[in-house]
Amino acid sequence: MRNVLITGSSRGIGAETARLFAKKGYNVYINYNKSENAALALLDELKNYSVQAVKADVSKPDEVKKMFGEISGIDILVNNAGIAQTKLFTDITNDDWNNMIASNLSSAFYCCRAALPYMIRQHFGRIINISSMWGQVGGSCEVHYSAAKAGIIGLTKALAMEEGLSGITVNCIAPGVIKTDMTSNLSEDDFTALKDETPTNSIGTPFDVARTVVFLASDNSSFITGQVLGINGGFVV
Ligand code: NAP
C-alpha cells in the first residue's frame, strides 16, 4: 500500500484529495495546522480507510522535520498547503510577503527535501505541487501570491530534471477558480461573472483537482514529469 502525504488537507482541495486517495486504497496522511476539528472530522468520516492525521505548520522547517519523523516513508507527496491574500501591491508588508512565500513556496521546499531521500532510495516517488493559474499569468492585487505560485512552477520543473533518473516524477497543477474557503470572499455575482468568462461556463470543484492529483500519482502517469496542468475550464490556456 503506497503512503501519501497531503499538506493542508484539513479543508478544501486537500481534504477532497485525501478522501479520494483513501477510497482508492492508499495509506493517507492528512496534514493540518490550525483546523484540528476539521482534520479530526475528516479522520472520522474516513474511519473505514487507512488514514492518519498529523499536525504541522509546513511553513516552518523544524515542524516539517518533526512531521517526517512521525510518519512512514512517503511514496507520494502532495504540496497543497497554501494561503491567499488580496492586497494592493503597495500595501503588502514585509510580514505579508514573508508569510506568503513561507506558506506557499518554502513549505514545498521543506517537504520535498524531507521526502526525497526515501524516494531516491526506493527509486520511486511522485511529487505533485499545487500552484495556481495566477502563478502562470499573474493576478492583480495578488502579486505575492502570484510570485509564490510561479515559484512553485519553477521548483517543479527544475526538480523534475534532477530526479527523473531516480524514478521520481514531479508535476504541478495550476487550478483556476475552485469553490472552497479560499474563495469564500467572492460573492455569487462574482462567481457568475467568473463563470461567464470561463469557456466551459463552470466553476471548478475540489474534486476536479483531486482526481487530477490522483491520476498524477498513479502508474498511468509515469512518463509525465515537469509539467504544469491547468485545471481551469479554459480560463487560462
Ligand atoms: P483552503 O480551503 O483555504 O484550505 C487551505 C488548506 O491549507 C487548509 O487545510 C489549511 O490547514 C492548509 N494550510 C495553510 N497554511 C498551512 C500551513 N502553514 N501548514 C499546514 N497547513 C496549512 O484552500 P484551498 O482552496 O483548498 O487551496 C488549496 C491549495 O490550492 C492552495 O495551495 C491554494 O493556493 C491552491 N489553489 C486554490 C484555488 C481556489 O480557487 N480555491 C485556486 C488555485 C490554487 P489549516 O486550516 O489546518 O491551517
Side-chain angles (χ1 to χ4, degrees):
M1 191 186 280
R2 282 185 175 150
N3 296 320
V4 51
L5 169 67
I6 305 144
T7 67
S9 46
S10 49
R11 298 182 284 118
I13 291 168
E16 190 66 2
T17 304
R19 278 186 193 97
L20 198 55
F21 271 117
K23 290 173 187 174
K24 296 262 179 200
Y26 292 80
N27 179 41
V28 178
Y29 291 98
I30 295 169
N31 159 249
Y32 67 96
N33 183 29
K34 294 180 182 157
S35 304
E36 186 158 55
N37 288 344
L40 296 179
L42 183 59
L43 206 57
D44 188 52
E45 178 191 326
L46 298 173
K47 61 176 177 286
N48 294 329
Y49 302 93
S50 180
V51 180
Q52 291 93 54
V54 53
K55 181 175 174 0
D57 177 345
V58 292
S59 69
K60 299 191 170 133
D62 292 351
E63 294 203 22
V64 169
K65 198 171 170 195
K66 184 168 167 286
M67 171 172 70
F68 273 81
E70 289 166 9
I71 59 187
S72 316
I74 295 301
D75 306 294
I76 298 153
L77 168 65
V78 184
N79 286 308
N80 165 79
I83 56 167
Q85 187 182 43
T86 308
K87 263 193 170 182
L88 279 175
F89 178 67
T90 44
D91 289 341
I92 295 173
T93 64
N94 292 349
D95 280 351
D96 290 336
W97 177 268
N98 291 332
N99 197 20
M100 188 62 73
I101 299 296
S103 302
N104 289 285
L105 179 57
S106 305
S107 57
F109 163 59
Y110 302 141
C111 290
C112 288
R113 190 176 54 181
L116 273 166
Y118 173 80
M119 291 182 179
I120 291 168
R121 266 201 313 280
Q122 64 165 357
H123 209 79
F124 175 86
R126 294 274 188 270
I127 296 176
I128 299 127
N129 298 319
I130 308 298
S131 176
S132 162
M133 66 178 174
W134 302 131
Q136 295 176 287
V137 295
S140 170
C141 296
E142 293 194 83
V143 170
H144 49 350
Y145 182 75
S146 300
K149 292 303 191 183
I152 282 284
I153 293 174
L155 183 155
T156 300
K157 291 183 181 221
L159 192 59
M161 293 289 167
E162 200 169 315
E163 301 302 340
L165 278 178
S166 298
I168 298 162
T169 65
V170 189
N171 288 293
C172 184
I173 290 177
V177 183
I178 310 290
K179 238 182 175 174
T180 65
D181 294 345
M182 190 172 272
T183 48
S184 59
N185 59 320
L186 299 174
S187 66
E188 278 312 311
D189 285 350
D190 292 333
F191 276 117
T192 304
L194 286 162
K195 201 170 123 182
D196 289 346
E197 272 184 69
T198 305
T200 54
N201 194 33
S202 54
I203 296 293
T205 65
F207 184 67
D208 288 320
V209 181
R211 60 184 166 177
T212 312
V213 175
V214 170
F215 165 68
L216 287 173
S218 75
D219 291 337
N220 294 330
S221 71
S222 57
F223 198 47
I224 303 174
T225 196
Q227 302 303 310
V228 182
L229 206 49
I231 310 294
N232 61 31
F235 196 92
V236 164
V237 290

